[in-house]
Amino acid sequence: MAKAMSHPVFARLYPRIAAFADAHGSIEHRQEMLTGVRGRVVEIGAGTGSNFRHYPPEVTQVVAVEPEPRLRALAEKAAAEAPVPVDVVAGLAEELPLEDDGFDVAVCSLVLCTVKDVPGALAEARRVLKPSGELRFYEHVRSERPGFRRAQKALALPWRLAGGGCHLTRDTEHAIQEAGFAIQDIRRFYFLINGRANPASPSIIGTARPST
Ligand SMILES: C[S@@+](CC[C@H](N)C(=O)[O-])C[C@H]1O[C@@H](n2cnc3c(N)ncnc32)[C@H](O)[C@@H]1O
């Protein structure tokens, strides 16, 4: 397996960041992303397992892939309390340790901002999805507003260093389409915390299907 970049400080901080974001609206975004999900699910870069408790009962299994050991241990705890069966495994988005055509849904939340190789990760998601499967995504992306985009560019390097390799200026919607998915629905919004924008505010939630 290729090695994930190690971000021990971020791994220590992320549980608090995720809890803060969840308390300020991210829970609703996670629920929106997972509405109607059913069958066998692969969750890519599951972090602490913040999505697990939001899977609907129609989900028969979640295989949650997470490369970072500290976050993976927290995900294992969350899996034990999840309302559906969740198996947490080590692995990278770019080399999923999973079979072809095995999943009904692939879930990416706040992870395509961070993976090293976005086309590689999306190609892997496509490989493990059944042809009838779907990609559910909740991601922060580059802004469509020029002024805000300039601010994102200026902050990109310190943000990446402090944020475990997180990129502020990725055009993830375009990357999903380039990877051979057709967007079925997408909601673009600014995730304001306490009414305020932050560099990661421009966000998308949606569904895409492998195009033929
Ligand atoms: C911002 S956190 C998001 C975690 C979780 N998906 C969530 O919604 O809270 C980014 C996650 O991506 C993981 N990650 C980073 N590079 C990865 C890669 N190449 N493959 C899979 N996961 C990766 C990190 O370990 C971390 O758990």
Side-chain angles (χ1 to χ4, degrees):
M1 183 174 106
K3 277 190 79 178
M5 191 100 89
S6 177
H7 294 286
V9 177
F10 177 74
R12 279 179 186 272
L13 290 178
Y14 188 65
R16 280 191 231 169
I17 298 170
F20 180 81
D22 277 1
H24 289 80
S26 198
I27 283 185
E28 287 74 14
H29 302 151
R30 295 179 188 283
Q31 290 169 339
E32 178 180 346
M33 169 186 63
L34 296 176
T35 298
V37 166
R38 53 177 57 236
R40 201 162 173 242
V41 176
V42 54
E43 186 175 327
I44 298 166
T48 60
S50 300
N51 287 322
F52 297 169
R53 64 193 162 115
H54 304 298
Y55 280 105
E58 291 78 16
V59 168
T60 54
Q61 184 197 19
V62 178
V63 178
V65 180
E66 171 53 50
E68 209 293 318
R70 179 177 286 268
L71 296 179
R72 194 167 61 246
L74 293 171
E76 276 161 7
K77 280 192 191 157
E81 291 168 13
V84 299
V86 180
D87 297 310
V88 179
V89 300
L92 286 173
E94 297 88 340
E95 285 177 37
L96 292 174
L98 302 168
E99 74 275 20
D100 294 358
D101 299 341
F103 293 85
D104 300 291
V105 182
V107 169
C108 288
S109 70
L110 308 174
V111 70
L112 292 173
C113 53
T114 300
V115 298
K116 248 188 181 170
D117 173 5
V118 177
L122 287 166
E124 278 291 90
R126 217 188 139 164
R127 177 182 68 75
V128 303
L129 274 177
K130 297 174 185 173
S132 61
E134 62 182 18
L135 173 72
R136 296 289 184 110
F137 53 89
Y138 161 33
E139 296 286 345
H140 70 82
V141 295
R142 82 174 183 196
S143 177
E144 290 174 346
R145 300 183 197 163
F148 205 97
R149 198 187 295 183
R150 275 197 294 279
Q152 286 181 314
K153 273 190 186 160
L155 286 167
L157 180 61
W159 187 275
R160 197 155 72 239
L161 294 174
C166 175
H167 293 251
L168 282 175
T169 56
R170 284 188 170 165
D171 184 353
T172 301
E173 179 181 349
H174 182 67
I176 290 170
Q177 290 168 319
E178 282 292 295
F181 288 94
I183 306 268
Q184 305 293 294
D185 58 75
I186 186 162
R187 182 168 79 84
R188 301 179 189 85
F189 62 103
Y190 270 61
F191 177 19
L192 304 178
I193 293 190
N194 291 334
R196 292 197 171 166
N198 64 77
S201 285
S203 301
I204 53 175
I205 292 179
T207 304
R209 289 188 181 278
S211 40
T212 47

